[in-house]
Amino acid sequence: IDEHQFFDIVIEILVWGLIAGRAVYLLIHFGDFGFNVVKWLWLTHFVGLSSWGALVGMTAALVLRVRDLNQDVWKWLDLISMGLALGIAVGKVGVFMAGGGGVWWLPLVEALAFFGLFVWLYWLDGEYRTISWYRAAKTYAQTGFLSLLALMVLRF
C-alpha cells in the first residue's frame, strides 16, 4: 500500500467517522437538540459523539474508498484494526490524564489492555499467514484475520 494513499484514506475515514459519530449522537439525543442546526454544528458548546456511529461511518467510508481503488478491503481493515487498538490505548491515557472514568486507575488498565492488543495484532501480522490451520491446505492465507480478532476483542 502506497504510504501517501494510506494517509489520504486515513484522513478521509476519520472525517467521515466524525460526521457519522455526530449524526448518530444527534439522532439518539434528538430531544436535547431538536431542529436547532446551531446546536448540531457547535461542537465546543454542545458536545457529543457516538463511538459506534463513528466506527460504522469509518468502516463504510473505508470499504467504499478501497473498493473504488480495486484493492483488498480486508488488508486495509487489518491495518486499520492495529491502528484502532493503539488509538484507543492513547485515548484511555487521555481519559486518565483528564481525571475521568470514575475509578481513577481503570483507564490505565484499559490503556494497557489495548496496548497489549496492539502488540499482539502487530506480532500476529507477521505470523498468522504461516499457521497451517488458518491456511487450510492453501498456499497462502486470506487477509481479514486480524480485523476479525480485533472486532471480537473490542466487542467484549
Side-chain angles (χ1 to χ4, degrees), residues 25-121:
Y25 184 83
L26 291 174
L27 287 174
I28 293 171
H29 298 94
F30 190 76
D32 297 335
F33 291 92
F35 288 102
N36 189 344
V37 178
V38 173
K39 286 184 176 181
W40 294 359
L41 300 177
W42 196 358
L43 298 176
T44 57
H45 190 66
F46 302 100
V47 296
L49 293 171
S50 166
S51 58
W52 285 106
L55 186 62
V56 169
M58 289 186 328
T59 304
L62 177 71
V63 168
L64 292 174
R65 183 75 165 105
V66 170
R67 281 193 179 170
D68 284 345
L69 298 172
N70 292 324
Q71 293 185 8
D72 185 11
V73 173
W74 288 107
K75 183 177 182 180
W76 278 86
L77 286 172
D78 283 350
L79 287 173
I80 297 295
S81 64
M82 285 189 285
L84 182 64
L86 186 59
I88 292 173
V90 170
K92 293 296 181 179
V93 170
V95 169
F96 171 75
M97 300 288 282
V103 180
W104 69 270
W105 51 267
L106 188 59
L108 284 180
V109 172
E110 291 173 329
L112 285 173
F114 281 108
F115 184 73
L117 175 63
F118 164 73
V119 170
W120 184 53
L121 292 174

